[in-house]
Amino acid sequence: MWQDLLNRLRLRSTNSGVYAGRWLDRPSGGEIESLNPATGEIIAKVHTGSLADFEVAASNSHAAFASWRKLPAPQRGEIVRLIGEQLRKQKDDLGLLVTLEAGKIRSEGLGEVQEMIDMCDFAVGLSRQLYGLTIASERPDHRLMEQWHPLGAVGVITAFNFPVAVWAWNAALALVCGDPVLWKPSHLTPLTAIAVQNIVNDVLESRGLAGVLNLIVGDRDVGQSIAADVRFPLISATGSTAMGKSVAVKVAERLGRSLLELGGNNGCIVTESADLDLAVRAILFAAVGTAGQRCTTLRRLIVHESRAEELIARLKKAYGNVKVGLPWEEGTVLGPLISEDAVKQFTDAIATIKQQGGEVLCGGSRIDRPGCYVQPTIVQAKPAMEIVKHETFAPILYVFTYQDLNAAIELHNNVPQGLSSAIFTERMREAEQFLSPAGSDCGIANVNLGPSGAEIGGAFGGEKETGGGREAGSDAWKAYMRRQTCTVNYGTTLPLAQGVKFDVE
Ligand code: UN1
């Protein structure tokens, strides 16, 4: 059924998962299967890379740095522009592949490719704006300034839930900053990565730039090797907190730089004055969209006690109308979870919720049909429940009630993660309190919209166990470059800073 799509994206039934400047003929790792989570069927088999293949990919990435860094940044931007152009042309197919392999509904699959295109556009503009500062020197006849130089090859480790957009956040910036990339995608979504590599290869090879963007589909060993390797001064990793901690330790051991985007456990406060029409729609998208598998998914709803009954009733009604179906079918809003493992984590979490005194208000079960489907679930929770501090990557929404906004913000912040957050209020004071230094402790804080679905123009990332990294827009590019502070003495004397005297006859 999907063969035409796979052919158009040049995916054969057995694909080579290692591109190290060129496709490796026979990667020496094992073979994995890419599964369609909506049906459980095998889409294709993929040859993975071994540690020996990693070595080839790493040395090619490192070698490419020598010349790529010398190309003027706007010319690097031109390459990114060409990549963006190809992505525009293949948006429909690539978006459908995301739907097929990651189980995202059609508009979200397309949205993901749009996010890649947006990143390319952003990076093209940025390629002419990698500005440094000029600083007033305290010494006469001195110029003090900073400039930004390419850093080196970047290791990019991505997760299944944004199988291509997060690569683009990193790759588009890395490229204009002068850094080659070695990408290790999730083993659950190798085909989308191979399809993207096929697209970028055309651009790179036509310009004699093979080796600037590389791909290795590999297992944990490969991820650990990238993290440990000094040829990658920056490792950007997206995934679970457990994965991030192990990568961070490896990178820190060699004093490398890491950019981490890890677990989220995002909350939303609905105040007494909230516009519930807005809130219901936003909560639905944030908690049920992507089957609860975004880092930014809404997991904790903290609602003023005077509005709780009405809000819960409206949410239950809306949850009842959620159209579950095959993700590529028109009208579907809830597709499958990514895998059987993910379904097990959902059912285990529901059992734990009940043990810890949570009450399932709606949902709570696997859906009886082929594929990895679960019901969108609302749970009346108590703050003391241990499980509400953990991120379960599934559509489970915990509801708490509050009386006083200070207490609500405290409850909101009382989790180990700190990615995204939101408040619904019509009162300016409440909104500003949420955004103040004593308000939300997250990297992202929204007013009158949900916590998920950020645009690329802002810096994306979060605090605490979310890892502290910032990707995509704003000045996130600085992580991909090294800052050099330069002082030039254009005078004929040698005054020392801080007025130090050091005269020797
Ligand atoms: C993620 O889940 O890793 O803000 C990223 C959002 C998306 C990105 C999510 N633009 O929901």
Side-chain angles (χ1 to χ4, degrees):
M1 171 181 182
W2 301 106
Q3 204 49 52
D4 285 352
L5 173 73
L6 301 186
N7 289 343
R8 286 199 299 278
L9 291 167
R10 287 169 285 162
L11 299 165
R12 298 181 316 278
S13 76
T14 298
N15 291 285
S16 174
V18 181
Y19 182 87
R22 60 181 175 78
W23 287 114
L24 294 188
D25 294 335
R26 228 172 287 122
S28 54
E31 202 175 65
I32 57 170
E33 290 168 347
S34 163
L35 299 178
N36 176 343
T39 62
E41 289 160 355
I42 298 174
I43 308 169
K45 294 186 176 176
V46 175
H47 285 310
T48 65
S50 64
L51 291 182
D53 299 322
F54 160 72
E55 182 48 42
V56 178
S59 61
N60 286 357
S61 309
H62 182 63
F65 179 55
S67 48
W68 184 245
R69 67 181 162 187
K70 288 203 218 153
L71 202 64
Q75 289 184 36
R76 299 193 295 252
E78 169 62 8
I79 301 300
V80 175
R81 191 185 68 75
L82 295 172
I83 292 172
E85 222 168 52
Q86 288 308 314
L87 291 171
R88 273 189 171 82
K89 283 191 189 139
Q90 302 190 50
K91 177 176 170 181
D92 203 56
D93 281 345
L94 196 51
L96 186 55
L97 184 68
V98 170
T99 292
L100 189 63
E101 194 179 42
K104 291 189 170 195
I105 62 169
R106 193 76 175 99
S107 75
E108 289 193 62
L110 289 168
E112 206 173 310
V113 184
Q114 187 57 48
E115 198 158 338
M116 302 173 85
I117 295 167
D118 293 345
M119 263 325 289
C120 289
D121 289 355
F122 177 83
V124 174
L126 187 65
S127 72
R128 292 180 185 269
Q129 300 174 77
L130 302 169
Y131 300 140
L133 295 173
T134 303
I135 299 150
S137 171
E138 68 186 47
R139 287 172 279 186
D141 298 339
H142 278 58
R143 180 153 62 93
L144 180 56
M145 62 174 190
E146 51 186 32
Q147 52 180 353
W148 293 87
H149 286 313
L151 184 66
V154 180
V156 176
I157 299 172
T158 58
F160 77 86
N161 68 330
F162 275 81
V164 290
V166 171
W167 169 82
W169 292 357
N170 286 281
L173 292 189
L175 284 188
V176 298
C177 290
D179 305 337
V181 170
L182 174 58
W183 179 17
K184 181 196 168 296
S186 162
H187 68 283
L188 297 169
T189 49
L191 294 178
T192 49
I194 295 170
V196 168
Q197 187 70 43
N198 279 336
I199 291 170
V200 302
N201 283 351
D202 291 345
V203 174
L204 295 179
E205 285 167 10
S206 71
R207 300 288 172 125
L209 292 168
V212 170
L213 292 172
N214 302 287
L215 169 74
I216 183 160
V217 176
D219 59 19
R220 199 167 174 274
D221 277 12
V222 169
Q224 292 285 314
S225 299
I226 302 177
D229 198 312
V230 291
R231 288 170 293 186
F232 298 95
L234 171 66
I235 300 295
S236 172
T238 303
S240 67
T241 298
M243 178 283 296
K245 281 183 180 166
S246 96
V247 165
V249 167
K250 281 264 178 255
V251 178
E253 264 172 8
R254 58 168 173 101
L255 301 180
R257 198 186 281 181
S258 49
L259 197 171
L260 302 173
E261 201 250 291
L262 311 175
N265 188 357
N266 314 293
C268 172
I269 298 177
V270 176
T271 66
E272 208 176 350
S273 70
D275 175 341
L276 289 197
D277 291 342
L278 271 188
V280 168
R281 291 185 57 192
I283 291 164
L284 204 62
F285 173 65
V288 179
T290 331
Q293 300 175 109
R294 289 190 191 221
C295 300
T296 50
T297 290
L298 174 60
R299 308 198 184 280
R300 299 176 303 122
L301 183 62
I302 303 164
V303 50
H304 191 272
E305 60 178 12
S306 66
R307 309 300 298 279
E309 204 180 310
E310 184 190 352
L311 181 60
I312 292 170
R314 289 180 65 172
L315 284 174
K316 277 166 75 173
K317 182 157 175 265
Y319 270 53
N321 292 334
V322 163
K323 187 164 178 296
V324 180
L326 294 170
W328 51 87
E329 272 175 11
E330 185 75 31
T332 298
V333 295
L334 181 65
L337 292 182
I338 186 66
S339 64
E340 284 299 328
D341 262 6
V343 174
K344 181 165 182 334
Q345 281 170 33
F346 169 86
T347 48
D348 287 353
I350 298 292
T352 308
I353 286 165
K354 289 178 181 164
Q355 264 167 27
Q356 294 182 359
E359 186 195 344
V360 175
L361 300 179
C362 71
S365 304
R366 180 180 194 143
I367 300 176
D368 185 17
R369 58 177 286 161
C372 305
Y373 286 84
V374 300
Q375 294 174 325
T377 301
I378 302 178
V379 171
Q380 182 71 59
K382 302 187 184 97
M385 286 167 61
E386 174 59 27
I387 193 167
V388 305
K389 301 208 167 161
H390 297 274
E391 177 186 48
T392 303
F393 230 49
I396 302 174
L397 179 65
Y398 301 109
V399 183
F400 308 88
T401 52
Y402 79 91
Q403 293 178 329
D404 166 62
L405 186 57
N406 289 316
I409 292 174
E410 201 178 310
L411 177 63
H412 174 274
N413 291 346
N414 190 23
V415 290
Q417 308 83 354
L419 179 55
S420 190
S421 60
I423 190 168
F424 280 83
T425 178
E426 296 292 287
R427 293 187 188 132
M428 186 262 267
R429 281 191 187 137
E430 288 178 338
E432 291 294 332
Q433 186 180 346
F434 189 69
L435 300 181
S436 77
S440 160
D441 63 358
C442 293
I444 297 170
N446 296 337
V447 177
N448 291 336
L449 66 156
S452 70
E455 337 177 348
I456 61 102
F460 183 94
E463 305 302 329
K464 302 192 288 186
E465 280 193 0
T466 303
R470 291 297 185 277
E471 295 173 297
S474 185
D475 64 352
W477 60 271
K478 289 180 176 170
Y480 301 79
M481 302 199 85
R482 64 184 167 88
R483 183 196 312 240
Q484 187 170 62
T485 303
C486 308
T487 311
V488 177
N489 174 7
Y490 55 88
T492 53
T493 60
L494 195 72
L496 299 179
Q498 296 88 42
V500 170
K501 296 279 172 246
F502 200 80
D503 295 327
V504 181
E505 277 309 305

PDB file of all heavy atoms in Angstrom, residues 324-348:
ATOM      1  N   VAL A 324     -10.691   8.711  17.108  1.00  0.00           N
ATOM      2  CA  VAL A 324      -9.530   7.822  17.081  1.00  0.00           C
ATOM      3  C   VAL A 324      -9.536   7.123  15.727  1.00  0.00           C
ATOM      4  O   VAL A 324     -10.601   6.729  15.245  1.00  0.00           O
ATOM      5  CB  VAL A 324      -9.644   6.759  18.193  1.00  0.00           C
ATOM      6  CG1 VAL A 324      -8.441   5.826  18.182  1.00  0.00           C
ATOM      7  CG2 VAL A 324      -9.808   7.428  19.554  1.00  0.00           C
ATOM      8  N   GLY A 325      -8.371   7.011  15.106  1.00  0.00           N
ATOM      9  CA  GLY A 325      -8.377   6.319  13.819  1.00  0.00           C
ATOM     10  C   GLY A 325      -6.986   6.148  13.260  1.00  0.00           C
ATOM     11  O   GLY A 325      -5.981   6.449  13.928  1.00  0.00           O
ATOM     12  N   LEU A 326      -6.938   5.676  12.032  1.00  0.00           N
ATOM     13  CA  LEU A 326      -5.648   5.554  11.356  1.00  0.00           C
ATOM     14  C   LEU A 326      -5.117   6.966  11.137  1.00  0.00           C
ATOM     15  O   LEU A 326      -5.873   7.859  10.712  1.00  0.00           O
ATOM     16  CB  LEU A 326      -5.819   4.820  10.025  1.00  0.00           C
ATOM     17  CG  LEU A 326      -6.237   3.357  10.194  1.00  0.00           C
ATOM     18  CD1 LEU A 326      -6.625   2.734   8.851  1.00  0.00           C
ATOM     19  CD2 LEU A 326      -5.127   2.545  10.873  1.00  0.00           C
ATOM     20  N   PRO A 327      -3.861   7.193  11.429  1.00  0.00           N
ATOM     21  CA  PRO A 327      -3.378   8.573  11.456  1.00  0.00           C
ATOM     22  C   PRO A 327      -3.401   9.254  10.098  1.00  0.00           C
ATOM     23  O   PRO A 327      -3.437  10.476  10.031  1.00  0.00           O
ATOM     24  CB  PRO A 327      -1.948   8.441  11.990  1.00  0.00           C
ATOM     25  CG  PRO A 327      -1.587   7.004  11.845  1.00  0.00           C
ATOM     26  CD  PRO A 327      -2.850   6.221  11.891  1.00  0.00           C
ATOM     27  N   TRP A 328      -3.383   8.473   9.023  1.00  0.00           N
ATOM     28  CA  TRP A 328      -3.398   9.087   7.696  1.00  0.00           C
ATOM     29  C   TRP A 328      -4.812   9.367   7.203  1.00  0.00           C
ATOM     30  O   TRP A 328      -4.993   9.923   6.134  1.00  0.00           O
ATOM     31  CB  TRP A 328      -2.630   8.235   6.684  1.00  0.00           C
ATOM     32  CG  TRP A 328      -3.064   6.790   6.674  1.00  0.00           C
ATOM     33  CD1 TRP A 328      -4.070   6.246   5.958  1.00  0.00           C
ATOM     34  CD2 TRP A 328      -2.483   5.731   7.440  1.00  0.00           C
ATOM     35  NE1 TRP A 328      -4.172   4.911   6.219  1.00  0.00           N
ATOM     36  CE2 TRP A 328      -3.210   4.556   7.130  1.00  0.00           C
ATOM     37  CE3 TRP A 328      -1.429   5.641   8.369  1.00  0.00           C
ATOM     38  CZ2 TRP A 328      -2.906   3.325   7.702  1.00  0.00           C
ATOM     39  CZ3 TRP A 328      -1.127   4.413   8.932  1.00  0.00           C
ATOM     40  CH2 TRP A 328      -1.861   3.276   8.601  1.00  0.00           C
ATOM     41  N   GLU A 329      -5.815   8.957   7.987  1.00  0.00           N
ATOM     42  CA  GLU A 329      -7.200   9.184   7.554  1.00  0.00           C
ATOM     43  C   GLU A 329      -7.683  10.564   7.953  1.00  0.00           C
ATOM     44  O   GLU A 329      -7.440  11.025   9.084  1.00  0.00           O
ATOM     45  CB  GLU A 329      -8.120   8.124   8.172  1.00  0.00           C
ATOM     46  CG  GLU A 329      -8.212   6.890   7.315  1.00  0.00           C
ATOM     47  CD  GLU A 329      -9.024   5.790   7.971  1.00  0.00           C
ATOM     48  OE1 GLU A 329      -9.700   6.039   8.991  1.00  0.00           O
ATOM     49  OE2 GLU A 329      -8.963   4.669   7.461  1.00  0.00           O
ATOM     50  N   GLU A 330      -8.377  11.209   7.030  1.00  0.00           N
ATOM     51  CA  GLU A 330      -8.982  12.515   7.247  1.00  0.00           C
ATOM     52  C   GLU A 330      -9.836  12.489   8.525  1.00  0.00           C
ATOM     53  O   GLU A 330     -10.607  11.558   8.724  1.00  0.00           O
ATOM     54  CB  GLU A 330      -9.867  12.789   6.012  1.00  0.00           C
ATOM     55  CG  GLU A 330     -10.510  14.136   5.943  1.00  0.00           C
ATOM     56  CD  GLU A 330      -9.522  15.220   5.563  1.00  0.00           C
ATOM     57  OE1 GLU A 330      -8.566  14.926   4.816  1.00  0.00           O
ATOM     58  OE2 GLU A 330      -9.709  16.356   6.036  1.00  0.00           O
ATOM     59  N   GLY A 331      -9.672  13.491   9.361  1.00  0.00           N
ATOM     60  CA  GLY A 331     -10.549  13.604  10.528  1.00  0.00           C
ATOM     61  C   GLY A 331      -9.996  12.975  11.796  1.00  0.00           C
ATOM     62  O   GLY A 331     -10.458  13.270  12.901  1.00  0.00           O
ATOM     63  N   THR A 332      -9.018  12.085  11.657  1.00  0.00           N
ATOM     64  CA  THR A 332      -8.443  11.467  12.858  1.00  0.00           C
ATOM     65  C   THR A 332      -7.714  12.530  13.673  1.00  0.00           C
ATOM     66  O   THR A 332      -6.947  13.311  13.116  1.00  0.00           O
ATOM     67  CB  THR A 332      -7.430  10.365  12.462  1.00  0.00           C
ATOM     68  OG1 THR A 332      -8.130   9.359  11.738  1.00  0.00           O
ATOM     69  CG2 THR A 332      -6.765   9.749  13.683  1.00  0.00           C
ATOM     70  N   VAL A 333      -7.965  12.569  14.978  1.00  0.00           N
ATOM     71  CA  VAL A 333      -7.143  13.458  15.812  1.00  0.00           C
ATOM     72  C   VAL A 333      -6.263  12.674  16.785  1.00  0.00           C
ATOM     73  O   VAL A 333      -5.287  13.192  17.289  1.00  0.00           O
ATOM     74  CB  VAL A 333      -7.959  14.528  16.583  1.00  0.00           C
ATOM     75  CG1 VAL A 333      -8.630  15.506  15.646  1.00  0.00           C
ATOM     76  CG2 VAL A 333      -8.947  13.911  17.525  1.00  0.00           C
ATOM     77  N   LEU A 334      -6.636  11.417  17.041  1.00  0.00           N
ATOM     78  CA  LEU A 334      -5.792  10.603  17.925  1.00  0.00           C
ATOM     79  C   LEU A 334      -5.342   9.348  17.193  1.00  0.00           C
ATOM     80  O   LEU A 334      -6.149   8.485  16.853  1.00  0.00           O
ATOM     81  CB  LEU A 334      -6.556  10.217  19.205  1.00  0.00           C
ATOM     82  CG  LEU A 334      -5.753   9.379  20.194  1.00  0.00           C
ATOM     83  CD1 LEU A 334      -4.578  10.164  20.754  1.00  0.00           C
ATOM     84  CD2 LEU A 334      -6.635   8.887  21.342  1.00  0.00           C
ATOM     85  N   GLY A 335      -4.033   9.287  16.963  1.00  0.00           N
ATOM     86  CA  GLY A 335      -3.434   8.100  16.360  1.00  0.00           C
ATOM     87  C   GLY A 335      -2.833   7.217  17.447  1.00  0.00           C
ATOM     88  O   GLY A 335      -3.153   7.363  18.633  1.00  0.00           O
ATOM     89  N   PRO A 336      -1.953   6.306  17.040  1.00  0.00           N
ATOM     90  CA  PRO A 336      -1.396   5.352  17.999  1.00  0.00           C
ATOM     91  C   PRO A 336      -0.233   5.921  18.812  1.00  0.00           C
ATOM     92  O   PRO A 336       0.357   6.928  18.432  1.00  0.00           O
ATOM     93  CB  PRO A 336      -0.872   4.247  17.070  1.00  0.00           C
ATOM     94  CG  PRO A 336      -0.455   4.996  15.834  1.00  0.00           C
ATOM     95  CD  PRO A 336      -1.474   6.091  15.667  1.00  0.00           C
ATOM     96  N   LEU A 337       0.097   5.218  19.891  1.00  0.00           N
ATOM     97  CA  LEU A 337       1.397   5.433  20.529  1.00  0.00           C
ATOM     98  C   LEU A 337       2.448   4.812  19.622  1.00  0.00           C
ATOM     99  O   LEU A 337       2.129   4.071  18.678  1.00  0.00           O
ATOM    100  CB  LEU A 337       1.433   4.781  21.909  1.00  0.00           C
ATOM    101  CG  LEU A 337       0.538   5.398  22.990  1.00  0.00           C
ATOM    102  CD1 LEU A 337       0.733   4.651  24.312  1.00  0.00           C
ATOM    103  CD2 LEU A 337       0.843   6.877  23.175  1.00  0.00           C
ATOM    104  N   ILE A 338       3.701   5.052  19.934  1.00  0.00           N
ATOM    105  CA  ILE A 338       4.757   4.655  19.009  1.00  0.00           C
ATOM    106  C   ILE A 338       5.009   3.149  18.986  1.00  0.00           C
ATOM    107  O   ILE A 338       5.404   2.601  17.966  1.00  0.00           O
ATOM    108  CB  ILE A 338       6.082   5.410  19.309  1.00  0.00           C
ATOM    109  CG1 ILE A 338       7.157   5.124  18.262  1.00  0.00           C
ATOM    110  CG2 ILE A 338       6.599   5.087  20.705  1.00  0.00           C
ATOM    111  CD1 ILE A 338       6.856   5.646  16.892  1.00  0.00           C
ATOM    112  N   SER A 339       4.767   2.461  20.107  1.00  0.00           N
ATOM    113  CA  SER A 339       5.187   1.048  20.153  1.00  0.00           C
ATOM    114  C   SER A 339       4.422   0.292  21.236  1.00  0.00           C
ATOM    115  O   SER A 339       3.750   0.894  22.084  1.00  0.00           O
ATOM    116  CB  SER A 339       6.682   0.978  20.475  1.00  0.00           C
ATOM    117  OG  SER A 339       6.894   1.503  21.777  1.00  0.00           O
ATOM    118  N   GLU A 340       4.581  -1.013  21.219  1.00  0.00           N
ATOM    119  CA  GLU A 340       3.992  -1.855  22.267  1.00  0.00           C
ATOM    120  C   GLU A 340       4.580  -1.495  23.631  1.00  0.00           C
ATOM    121  O   GLU A 340       3.891  -1.512  24.642  1.00  0.00           O
ATOM    122  CB  GLU A 340       4.229  -3.342  21.967  1.00  0.00           C
ATOM    123  CG  GLU A 340       3.329  -3.894  20.882  1.00  0.00           C
ATOM    124  CD  GLU A 340       1.832  -3.806  21.233  1.00  0.00           C
ATOM    125  OE1 GLU A 340       1.466  -3.908  22.422  1.00  0.00           O
ATOM    126  OE2 GLU A 340       1.026  -3.610  20.304  1.00  0.00           O
ATOM    127  N   ASP A 341       5.854  -1.178  23.671  1.00  0.00           N
ATOM    128  CA  ASP A 341       6.495  -0.739  24.924  1.00  0.00           C
ATOM    129  C   ASP A 341       5.784   0.478  25.501  1.00  0.00           C
ATOM    130  O   ASP A 341       5.573   0.581  26.707  1.00  0.00           O
ATOM    131  CB  ASP A 341       7.930  -0.278  24.629  1.00  0.00           C
ATOM    132  CG  ASP A 341       8.921  -1.361  24.927  1.00  0.00           C
ATOM    133  OD1 ASP A 341       8.478  -2.479  25.248  1.00  0.00           O
ATOM    134  OD2 ASP A 341      10.137  -1.073  24.822  1.00  0.00           O
ATOM    135  N   ALA A 342       5.445   1.404  24.597  1.00  0.00           N
ATOM    136  CA  ALA A 342       4.778   2.632  25.045  1.00  0.00           C
ATOM    137  C   ALA A 342       3.392   2.310  25.597  1.00  0.00           C
ATOM    138  O   ALA A 342       2.951   2.908  26.582  1.00  0.00           O
ATOM    139  CB  ALA A 342       4.679   3.624  23.888  1.00  0.00           C
ATOM    140  N   VAL A 343       2.705   1.341  24.980  1.00  0.00           N
ATOM    141  CA  VAL A 343       1.392   0.935  25.490  1.00  0.00           C
ATOM    142  C   VAL A 343       1.555   0.332  26.888  1.00  0.00           C
ATOM    143  O   VAL A 343       0.783   0.611  27.814  1.00  0.00           O
ATOM    144  CB  VAL A 343       0.709  -0.078  24.541  1.00  0.00           C
ATOM    145  CG1 VAL A 343      -0.591  -0.593  25.148  1.00  0.00           C
ATOM    146  CG2 VAL A 343       0.440   0.565  23.177  1.00  0.00           C
ATOM    147  N   LYS A 344       2.610  -0.453  27.053  1.00  0.00           N
ATOM    148  CA  LYS A 344       2.835  -1.071  28.365  1.00  0.00           C
ATOM    149  C   LYS A 344       3.117   0.010  29.417  1.00  0.00           C
ATOM    150  O   LYS A 344       2.624  -0.063  30.548  1.00  0.00           O
ATOM    151  CB  LYS A 344       3.998  -2.063  28.280  1.00  0.00           C
ATOM    152  CG  LYS A 344       4.252  -2.753  29.604  1.00  0.00           C
ATOM    153  CD  LYS A 344       5.126  -3.969  29.480  1.00  0.00           C
ATOM    154  CE  LYS A 344       5.349  -4.711  30.796  1.00  0.00           C
ATOM    155  NZ  LYS A 344       5.255  -3.959  32.023  1.00  0.00           N
ATOM    156  N   GLN A 345       3.894   1.010  29.035  1.00  0.00           N
ATOM    157  CA  GLN A 345       4.142   2.098  29.997  1.00  0.00           C
ATOM    158  C   GLN A 345       2.845   2.801  30.375  1.00  0.00           C
ATOM    159  O   GLN A 345       2.665   3.199  31.526  1.00  0.00           O
ATOM    160  CB  GLN A 345       5.139   3.096  29.411  1.00  0.00           C
ATOM    161  CG  GLN A 345       6.569   2.573  29.539  1.00  0.00           C
ATOM    162  CD  GLN A 345       7.563   3.401  28.756  1.00  0.00           C
ATOM    163  OE1 GLN A 345       7.396   4.606  28.625  1.00  0.00           O
ATOM    164  NE2 GLN A 345       8.583   2.762  28.234  1.00  0.00           N
ATOM    165  N   PHE A 346       1.960   2.945  29.417  1.00  0.00           N
ATOM    166  CA  PHE A 346       0.653   3.553  29.700  1.00  0.00           C
ATOM    167  C   PHE A 346      -0.135   2.684  30.673  1.00  0.00           C
ATOM    168  O   PHE A 346      -0.612   3.164  31.700  1.00  0.00           O
ATOM    169  CB  PHE A 346      -0.121   3.743  28.387  1.00  0.00           C
ATOM    170  CG  PHE A 346      -1.571   4.107  28.556  1.00  0.00           C
ATOM    171  CD1 PHE A 346      -1.959   5.427  28.723  1.00  0.00           C
ATOM    172  CD2 PHE A 346      -2.563   3.123  28.542  1.00  0.00           C
ATOM    173  CE1 PHE A 346      -3.303   5.764  28.886  1.00  0.00           C
ATOM    174  CE2 PHE A 346      -3.906   3.462  28.700  1.00  0.00           C
ATOM    175  CZ  PHE A 346      -4.274   4.782  28.875  1.00  0.00           C
ATOM    176  N   THR A 347      -0.244   1.388  30.381  1.00  0.00           N
ATOM    177  CA  THR A 347      -1.080   0.532  31.254  1.00  0.00           C
ATOM    178  C   THR A 347      -0.431   0.387  32.639  1.00  0.00           C
ATOM    179  O   THR A 347      -1.136   0.391  33.651  1.00  0.00           O
ATOM    180  CB  THR A 347      -1.348  -0.854  30.619  1.00  0.00           C
ATOM    181  OG1 THR A 347      -0.114  -1.384  30.141  1.00  0.00           O
ATOM    182  CG2 THR A 347      -2.317  -0.770  29.464  1.00  0.00           C
ATOM    183  N   ASP A 348       0.882   0.330  32.687  1.00  0.00           N
ATOM    184  CA  ASP A 348       1.566   0.290  33.995  1.00  0.00           C
ATOM    185  C   ASP A 348       1.272   1.569  34.782  1.00  0.00           C
ATOM    186  O   ASP A 348       1.033   1.530  35.995  1.00  0.00           O
ATOM    187  CB  ASP A 348       3.085   0.166  33.831  1.00  0.00           C
ATOM    188  CG  ASP A 348       3.500  -1.228  33.379  1.00  0.00           C
ATOM    189  OD1 ASP A 348       2.621  -2.126  33.318  1.00  0.00           O
ATOM    190  OD2 ASP A 348       4.695  -1.424  33.065  1.00  0.00           O
TER     191      ASP A 348
END
